[in-house]
Amino acid sequence: MDFTFTQEQQQFSDALRRWVDKDYTFDQRKKIVLSDSGTSDIAWTTLTELGMTALPIAEEQGGFNGSAIDMQVVMHEIGRGLVIEPYWSTMLGAQFLTLAGGHDELLEQVAAGALKLACALGEKQSRYDLFDIATTATAQGDGFVLNGTKTVVIHGAQAGMLIVSARSSGSRRDTAGIALFVLPATTPGVVLRDYRTIDCQRAADITFTDVALPASALLGASDAGWDILDAATDYGITLLCAEAVGVMESLNQATLEYLKTRQQFGVPIGKFQALQHRMADMFMHLEQARSMATLAAVKVTSTDPVERRRTVSAAKARICQAMKYVGQQAVQLHGGMGVTNELPAAHHFKRLSIIELTLGDTDHHLARFIAQPGFRQAA
């Protein structure tokens, strides 16, 4: 099988890489991190002009109808440059809108870069079980009333619209009885607490108190949101896998350069065979992760949900293992400098650590993989 990117995909990659290398350097990124919003309107405008916000959107809504493989190309460069703009959260939100259907106007705004999205899915008791929902959506008249709290909503305070999961019926941990809504972040009753995460991104805890929503805010059918939630978050995991490969690639390169310049006993430490072996192991982990990220991008749109879940969880579990190994080895090979904020390596490691914990860690996805039908053959 040929895994070579097409000419158009390579052009997308090259354009984004040139922008990162020229206008989104590590020093410029630090200034953005320390700003009040933690993001850059200039950077977002550039992403829009490069066509990144329109890439996965259908042509009917002003997009390019890009595939998950096309998005893999973009997320790889996002990871390589440690870009902290709300791109992933917006693309994940756009996938919810696409799967639900009927929200063409919002998708047109996303494609044009005029709308940022955030997905309020997790709660303090749910951990990685996104079907564990205590937030309630109570039918009232022709609409709904939303009450509850969502935690660690990535770029929640930077978004114009929120995708929210809520319990419309059933018990707290049922997959049935889940409803999804899209609502403006400024809706009365919505309170956001914005903060910086350890990887210098932004997140928010969001409280919904008697938030009145019209029927048009509902995504899909009431009580039947789990299939959309499950499929959309698998798409988000696939994007994270691609980003992780970009982060590891950049970290490997930085570590190799450090070994070539750092001297001990009058020679670069990269001359020591033991360290060469460790770099070779890091490279093998990276290449295995790259293969799994590509497989996930191929299978994430499968019409067979079992195949999709199995492949995406296998990819996330393997890539999480690679992230841990590559990150820890890179920090150790850098010595004490590897954990200082002055060095990009520390920021790479922090981003990898957060990616592992986003939408399921290694153990969660191993368990999910095992739970899929067909894993255990009947005796």
Side-chain angles (χ1 to χ4, degrees):
M1 183 177 292
D2 184 10
F3 292 110
T4 305
F5 290 137
T6 66
Q7 183 178 356
E8 290 79 9
Q9 289 168 341
Q10 193 59 55
Q11 288 173 344
F12 250 71
S13 175
D14 292 343
L16 190 51
R17 180 168 296 200
R18 284 194 297 269
W19 168 69
V20 168
D21 291 343
K22 179 182 177 182
D23 299 322
Y24 210 90
T25 63
F26 182 63
D27 288 338
Q28 290 166 319
R29 177 183 181 273
K30 286 195 293 186
K31 294 178 182 178
I32 296 172
V33 168
L34 296 175
S35 67
D36 291 338
S37 66
T39 60
S40 167
D41 290 339
I42 295 175
W44 187 257
T45 299
T46 302
L47 289 173
T48 301
E49 292 173 347
L50 289 172
M52 304 306 168
T53 56
L55 181 57
I57 309 300
E59 293 180 5
E60 294 78 8
Q61 287 88 50
F64 298 139
N65 201 31
S67 66
I69 292 291
D70 296 325
M71 289 298 294
Q72 180 188 13
V73 174
V74 174
M75 292 305 298
H76 177 273
E77 296 303 324
I78 292 286
R80 179 182 169 274
L82 289 176
V83 176
I84 55 175
E85 308 309 314
Y87 184 76
W88 175 79
S89 64
T90 299
M91 296 302 102
L92 174 58
Q95 185 69 3
F96 274 94
L97 298 176
T98 299
L99 293 176
H103 294 273
D104 292 357
E105 183 178 345
L106 294 180
L107 287 170
E108 289 173 3
Q109 294 179 45
V110 171
L115 176 64
K116 300 171 186 175
L117 301 170
C119 300
L121 309 175
E123 301 182 7
K124 64 180 181 179
Q125 84 288 342
S126 63
R127 195 163 174 79
Y128 304 128
D129 295 332
L130 297 182
F131 53 80
D132 187 337
I133 300 173
T135 298
T136 60
T138 305
Q140 186 176 86
D142 294 333
F144 300 86
V145 175
L146 202 62
N147 283 282
T149 300
K150 297 293 184 176
T151 56
V152 197
V153 179
I154 304 300
H155 285 117
Q158 289 72 44
M161 301 285 286
L162 303 173
I163 310 292
V164 184
S165 60
R167 173 68 55 194
S168 53
S169 65
S171 301
R172 199 190 75 190
R173 290 180 60 83
D174 288 346
T175 54
I178 294 174
L180 300 171
F181 299 92
V182 57
L183 61 146
T186 55
T187 302
V190 177
V191 177
L192 299 93
R193 183 177 71 85
D194 183 36
Y195 51 87
R196 186 188 305 157
T197 56
I198 64 169
D199 60 343
C200 297
Q201 305 246 357
R202 306 293 297 193
D205 292 342
I206 307 179
T207 301
F208 303 91
T209 305
D210 295 330
V211 178
L213 299 177
S216 59
L218 183 66
L219 295 180
S222 180
D223 299 343
W226 171 247
D227 287 342
I228 295 175
L229 175 58
D230 191 39
T233 50
D234 272 349
Y235 182 83
I237 292 166
T238 301
L239 299 187
L240 288 174
C241 287
E243 181 185 356
V245 172
V247 177
M248 286 189 285
E249 182 179 288
S250 182
L251 184 53
N252 273 14
Q253 183 179 359
T255 305
L256 182 59
E257 290 300 317
Y258 183 79
L259 296 184
K260 290 179 179 179
T261 56
R262 175 73 168 89
Q263 293 203 357
Q264 192 172 21
F265 306 115
V267 296
I269 61 176
K271 293 284 187 180
F272 302 148
Q273 192 175 51
L275 302 191
Q276 293 175 3
H277 289 170
R278 289 166 71 174
M279 281 300 306
D281 288 340
M282 291 168 64
F283 177 78
M284 287 190 290
H285 276 277
L286 169 62
E287 291 307 305
Q288 290 173 357
R290 194 191 309 276
S291 297
M292 291 304 294
T294 301
L295 180 61
V298 170
K299 297 294 187 179
V300 72
T301 54
S302 173
T303 56
D304 181 357
V306 172
E307 181 182 39
R308 185 199 73 228
R309 295 184 192 113
R310 181 189 296 119
T311 307
V312 170
S313 282
K316 184 72 185 318
R318 179 62 191 94
I319 291 171
C320 282
Q321 293 168 346
M323 289 189 294
K324 183 176 181 179
Y325 183 85
V326 170
Q328 290 179 346
Q329 292 296 316
V331 166
Q332 189 171 34
L333 289 172
H334 275 87
M337 289 291 292
V339 293
T340 62
N341 282 331
E342 288 72 23
L343 204 67
H347 295 261
H348 286 96
F349 189 30
K350 289 176 182 179
R351 181 58 189 150
L352 291 175
S353 299
I354 291 298
I355 290 176
E356 180 183 7
L357 299 175
T358 303
L359 296 181
D361 62 7
T362 308
D363 291 341
H364 173 82
H365 282 285
L366 284 174
R368 186 179 187 234
F369 177 86
I370 293 170
Q372 297 309 305
F375 179 80
R376 293 186 178 92
Q377 298 297 327

